[in-house]
Each structure stands twice: as structure tokens, then as C-alpha cells.
């Protein structure tokens, strides 16, 4: 049985206060993030849709996917979006020793810098799983650890697309960081949900912003 929080509890945000969960609630900004790409068919669809709504986003990329699909990665950059590090092989830190995990992050960093000179040192752990000892080392290397306020659960094939949409509409507020996935597994839900999220919040006057090193 899968268990995860759709809305990150405030207690967790307080306990892990050095990690980024959301941004200021003063302005009507939302921060869309996409994990696990680049994936040719899905990522390009996402980019085209974002452009139609003048929306910016942040893509937490897997290093090996960048290497396999460099042209798609270049399109993310050329569209003005931000990219972040999601390890090279989508590693679960709870099952990986610190040295191997940090080397995997560095490998992705090396790949990222091949294609962009303006690298924002943003990191998101796959599965949201990160040891405190690892997190400390990552932050010492200058990374901002970016988590989320709202989990769409688009990756969960056991829920229907309507439920996935409701997750986002019911829990998003000013400053929310929302997680989607530009992966083939998530596309069934993403294809239905993302256009509706963009339309719904655009009509309410929200702007979709990217995350940078200085947010």
C-alpha cells in the first residue's frame, strides 16, 4: 500500500526548515515543477503547453535522461525554464550510501554544465527520500534542497485523473510548489490535469514562476 502526503504538513516544514517547501504567500505565484525528465514525447508536450499560458517552471532532471535526450534538455533551457538536479540514476538515498549518492549528484551536475552556463544549484531527492547526513553535505556544496507543498500524485497509476486534478485544485495556494512528472508513467494523469490547472489558476490571476537560486 502506497502512502504519501498530498499536502505537506506544516510540522514537516518546521522540522526540515532548511529545505524549501513553498514560497511567500504575499503574491499570487505558483511554482510548477516536473521530475524525472527529460522524456521526449512528454517533456516537449509540457513545454508547448506552458508556452501557451506564458508559464515558467522548474524541471528536476535525471542525468542519464539528459545524456539520452540532450536536444529535449536544450529546449527546456531555450524556453527560459530552470533546471535542477534529480541524481543521475534516480537513486533512493535511503538505500544508497552517502558517497555513492553524492557522486551520483556530481555526475548529473557535470552533465548539466555541458549544456548550461547559468546553473542554479537546485536539488530534489528522488522519492523525496533524503538522509539528514546526506542533506547536510549537499547543502554544504551550495545546493538548495527543493521539496514541495503539493504532490499531484500523477505517478500513481491506482488513482484516476479526476482525483489527481482534485489533489492540486484543493491544496494549491499562493506560493505553493507543485510536483508533476514529465514521465511516460505519469502522462495518463498529467495530460488531463496540467491543462486544467494552468487554465484554472490563470483565470484566477495567478502567475506560474520558476525557482532559482535567489527566490
Amino acid at each position: 500500500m502506497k502512502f504519501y502526503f498530498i499536502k505537506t504538513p506544516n510540522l514537516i516544514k518546521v522540522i526540515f526548515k532548511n529545505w524549501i517547501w513553498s514560497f511567500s504567500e504575499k503574491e499570487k505565484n505558483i511554482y510548477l515543477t516536473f521530475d524525472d525528465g527529460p522524456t521526449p514525447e512528454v517533456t516537449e508536450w509540457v513545454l508547448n503547453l506552458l508556452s501557451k499560458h506564458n508559464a515558467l517552471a522548474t524541471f528536476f532532471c535525471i542525468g542519464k535522461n539528459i545524456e539520452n535526450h540532450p536536444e529535449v534538455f536544450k529546449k527546456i533551457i531555450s524556453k527560459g525554464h530552470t533546471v535542477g538536479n534529480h541524481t543521475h540514476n534516480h537513486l533512493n538515498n535511503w538505500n544508497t550510501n552517502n558517497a555513492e549518492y553524492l557522486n551520483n549528484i556530481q555526475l548529473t551536475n557535470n552533465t548539466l554544465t555541458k549544456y548550461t552556463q547559468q546553473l542554479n544549484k537546485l536539488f530534489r531527492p528522488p522519492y523525496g527520500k533524503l538522509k539528514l547526513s546526506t542533506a547536510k553535505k549537499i547543502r554544504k556544496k551550495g545546493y538548495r534542497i527543493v521539496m514541495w507543498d503539493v504532490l499531484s500524485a500523477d505517478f500513481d497509476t491506482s488513482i484516476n485523473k479526476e482525483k489527481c486534478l482534485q489533489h492540486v485544485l484543493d491544496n494549491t495556494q499562493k506560493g505553493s510548489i507543485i510536483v508533476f512528472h514529465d514521465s511516460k508513467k505519469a502522462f495518463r494523469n498529467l495530460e488531463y490535469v496540467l491543462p486544467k490547472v494552468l487554465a484554472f489558476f490563470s483565470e484566477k490571476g495567478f502567475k506560474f514562476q520558476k525557482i532559482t537560486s535567489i527566490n
Side-chain angles (χ1 to χ4, degrees):
M1 180 179 178
K2 297 178 181 178
F3 175 78
Y4 45 78
F5 293 111
I6 296 301
K7 182 75 168 178
T8 303
N10 286 332
L11 180 60
I12 290 179
K13 295 179 182 180
V14 171
I15 293 172
F16 302 100
K17 62 183 179 180
N18 290 323
W19 304 359
I20 299 169
W21 299 93
S22 59
F23 291 106
S24 172
E25 297 180 14
K26 293 181 179 180
E27 298 181 7
K28 297 183 78 170
N29 292 328
I30 294 173
Y31 300 82
L32 302 178
T33 65
F34 298 87
D35 291 2
D36 296 355
T39 308
E41 305 89 337
V42 182
T43 306
E44 293 192 40
W45 176 86
V46 170
L47 291 173
N48 290 335
L49 186 60
L50 292 175
S51 293
K52 291 178 182 178
H53 289 269
N54 296 313
L56 294 174
T58 305
F59 291 77
F60 287 93
C61 299
I62 295 174
K64 68 176 183 180
N65 287 346
I66 299 173
E67 292 184 350
N68 290 336
H69 310 292
E71 294 306 316
V72 181
F73 180 77
K74 290 176 186 177
K75 286 183 181 180
I76 297 174
I77 300 297
S78 68
K79 295 285 186 179
H81 304 290
T82 301
V83 294
N85 192 317
H86 201 47
T87 76
H88 196 78
N89 303 98
H90 204 262
L91 294 186
N92 182 340
N93 185 214
W94 290 4
N95 300 329
T96 311
N97 68 61
N98 285 356
E100 180 182 352
Y101 196 78
L102 293 169
N103 286 338
N104 208 261
I105 293 172
Q106 184 59 47
L107 186 58
T108 301
N109 186 72
N110 295 344
T111 301
L112 287 167
T113 54
K114 289 180 185 178
Y115 302 105
T116 176
Q117 300 303 311
Q118 297 179 329
L119 182 62
N120 288 280
K121 295 194 78 172
L122 307 175
F123 176 74
R124 174 174 286 163
Y127 313 102
K129 296 180 178 180
L130 191 61
K131 301 173 190 172
L132 291 178
S133 58
T134 314
K136 185 176 181 180
K137 289 181 168 66
I138 291 170
R139 293 183 66 246
K140 280 187 176 180
K141 290 179 178 292
Y143 286 94
R144 303 180 82 193
I145 298 172
V146 181
M147 303 300 277
W148 56 82
D149 179 47
V150 179
L151 184 67
S152 70
D154 54 352
F155 59 86
D156 190 342
T157 56
S158 69
I159 65 171
N160 61 42
K161 56 190 181 183
E162 291 82 9
K163 183 67 172 177
C164 183
L165 175 62
Q166 214 59 47
H167 286 161
V168 180
L169 298 187
D170 288 349
N171 294 288
T172 298
Q173 60 192 53
K174 294 178 182 178
S176 284
I177 299 174
I178 307 170
V179 179
F180 291 108
H181 295 76
D182 51 333
S183 65
K184 291 181 179 179
K185 179 182 179 182
F187 191 57
R188 176 183 66 88
N189 285 327
L190 183 67
E191 186 178 27
Y192 176 83
V193 173
L194 186 58
K196 291 176 172 55
V197 167
L198 287 164
F200 180 85
F201 287 105
S202 292
E203 289 175 5
K204 291 186 174 294
F206 281 83
K207 293 183 178 179
F208 300 94
Q209 306 284 16
K210 61 185 178 181
I211 302 170
T212 70
S213 297
I214 57 173
N215 281 95

